[in-house]
Amino acid sequence: MKLLSEHIEKNQSGSVRLIAQEPEDIWHVYNLVQKGDQLKASTVRGVKSESKTGSVTTDRVRITLTVSIEDVFFDSHACALRINGRNIGESKYVALGQYHTLDLELNQPFTLSKPEWDLISLKRINDACDITQQADVAAVTMQEGLAVVCLLTQYMTVVRQRIDVPIPRKRRGSTTNYEKGLKRFYDQIYRAIKQHVDFDIVKVVILGSPGFVRDQFFEHMMAEAVKAEDRNILNNKAKFLLVHTSSGHKGALEEVMRDPQIKARLADTKSAQEARAIDKFYQMLNDEPDRAFYGYDDVCKAAENGAIGTLMVTDELFRAADVPTRKKYIQLVEDSQ
């Protein structure tokens, strides 16, 4: 995320101008926008015109609109955000009060205005714009013919590429076609890692699969890197972590993140921080239940006594459409600091 400008008044009202540069940034925007906020962005509108002969044509015109937000739709798989609301700015093509849906895209500047910027929203912008908060764990789950390349951040798992390669079956007396198909498959994974993994940021690359697919791929990748004198791969060999998974699908990462040995290896990465906090909470709830609190009322009492070491609040509560509900949880965070 890139912050282009910020204008926040003393009463905490104001606007920020941002650009979403990565798929995860769309997730941050989803958590920033609320019903009643105002969003200004470029969009495309279908405009009908009638000729002198009476024929009607529709042209696609790019315009800039400001809408008062009423509904927000987030597609977690495509990392796409659609924002619906009424137009509140002068426009040649859209009347005041008319509904329009804005599709927020990567690398598209937009301005978000709020009647009140709370500390949670401002912190989210700071985190999203801080390069050190970016994905520091990459993962490739694979099985023969299928691989999913992901980046793991503190907030979400982003699928960067899905690879499907048909691999012929082994035939009695000949495995040539099978081996050629397998090589094509491994070559595509190798290229995907080179394309999507920034080793200046990423600390660990997880290779997970059932059977020995991960081991065979790793050997193939290192052999190809030696042939091509690919220093980027060779110099970061120690960052690759080979683990067993039940399948090559993205969901297999959940079982990986629960493995104690994996947790130890990922101890200094941001993607493991939340998992460690949750594990610590459940352990304390089991061993020292008097020190572990959950539920709004009990946590508030702990905050009043300055007894909170770690506070966990789901993003959904900060996105609550009910303003009083959202504000009480923001106040809880402030009281706990």
Side-chain angles (χ1 to χ4, degrees), residues 46-325:
V47 178
K48 293 182 179 180
S49 58
E50 185 175 347
S51 66
K52 293 181 180 180
T53 60
S55 61
V56 178
T57 59
T58 300
D59 298 317
R60 305 288 287 175
V61 180
R62 182 162 288 280
I63 58 177
T64 298
L65 283 183
T66 303
V67 301
S68 178
I69 298 172
E70 294 194 8
D71 295 298
V72 182
F73 306 94
F74 177 66
D75 184 340
S76 60
H77 297 288
C79 277
L81 192 63
R82 307 194 75 195
I83 297 173
N84 187 39
R86 291 180 181 271
N87 176 42
I88 59 172
E90 295 290 338
S91 173
K92 177 181 177 182
Y93 301 104
V94 184
L96 286 173
Q98 189 173 356
Y99 279 101
H100 185 82
T101 298
L102 296 174
D103 293 307
L104 278 190
E105 303 171 349
L106 293 179
N107 300 311
Q108 174 190 357
F110 64 92
T111 301
L112 179 64
S113 301
K114 288 178 174 286
E116 181 181 356
W117 283 90
D118 56 62
L119 66 86
I120 299 298
S121 296
L122 294 175
K123 183 179 184 302
R124 184 172 288 277
I125 290 177
N126 290 334
D127 288 347
C129 294
D130 183 358
I131 189 64
T132 64
Q133 299 292 328
Q134 304 304 315
D136 57 358
V137 176
V140 184
T141 55
M142 62 186 82
Q143 61 192 48
E144 283 196 359
L146 170 68
V148 183
V149 182
C150 304
L151 294 178
L152 282 66
T153 75
Q154 187 174 0
Y155 301 96
M156 66 185 300
T157 299
V158 180
V159 176
R160 298 313 303 264
Q161 187 173 342
R162 180 184 172 92
I163 298 169
D164 282 294
V165 176
I167 299 178
R169 293 183 178 181
K170 293 181 180 179
R171 292 186 178 182
R172 182 177 297 178
S174 175
T175 60
T176 303
N177 290 336
Y178 169 78
E179 290 172 352
K180 286 182 178 179
L182 204 59
K183 185 179 184 303
R184 285 197 305 271
F185 176 53
Y186 289 159
D187 284 342
Q188 287 196 31
I189 300 175
Y190 178 29
R191 288 195 294 269
I193 290 175
K194 292 178 64 175
Q195 178 181 353
H196 298 296
V197 177
D198 184 348
F199 286 100
D200 291 334
I201 298 174
V202 169
K203 298 177 181 177
V204 179
V205 182
I206 299 171
L207 301 180
S209 77
F212 298 100
V213 178
R214 60 189 179 278
D215 304 279
Q216 294 168 356
F217 163 71
F218 185 69
E219 291 177 6
H220 173 86
M221 179 180 65
M222 298 312 299
E224 292 298 314
V226 170
K227 289 180 186 177
E229 296 184 353
D230 188 345
R231 308 309 304 176
N232 198 34
I233 294 294
L234 295 174
N235 292 343
N236 290 283
K237 180 179 179 180
K239 291 186 177 181
F240 287 88
L241 177 62
L242 279 60
V243 301
H244 172 80
T245 59
S246 59
S247 75
H249 296 277
K250 173 190 169 186
L253 286 174
E254 294 182 12
E255 62 194 65
V256 172
M257 299 303 288
R258 290 196 297 266
D259 188 307
Q261 293 182 342
I262 305 302
K263 290 180 183 177
R265 177 69 184 272
L266 302 180
D268 63 339
T269 63
K270 297 177 183 67
S271 61
Q273 292 175 356
E274 182 177 312
R276 289 202 308 274
I278 293 174
D279 287 345
K280 183 179 178 181
F281 170 77
Y282 283 122
Q283 189 67 43
M284 185 176 290
L285 188 63
N286 183 63
D287 298 339
E288 302 176 85
D290 292 339
R291 294 183 58 203
F293 296 91
Y294 56 92
Y296 179 76
D297 293 336
D298 288 341
V299 174
C300 275
K301 291 178 182 177
E304 291 172 2
N305 291 289
I308 293 182
T310 302
L311 176 66
M312 293 181 287
V313 184
T314 177
D315 284 329
E316 185 177 353
L317 294 173
F318 295 131
R319 291 197 306 269
D322 180 56
V323 176
T325 299

Side-chain angles (χ1 to χ4, degrees), residues 1 19-27 79 106-107 134 151 158 160:
M1 188 91 78
I19 293 181
Q21 298 173 308
E22 300 289 341
E24 186 190 3
D25 293 339
I26 300 295
W27 164 258
C79 277
L106 293 179
N107 300 311
Q134 304 304 315
L151 294 178
V158 180
R160 298 313 303 264

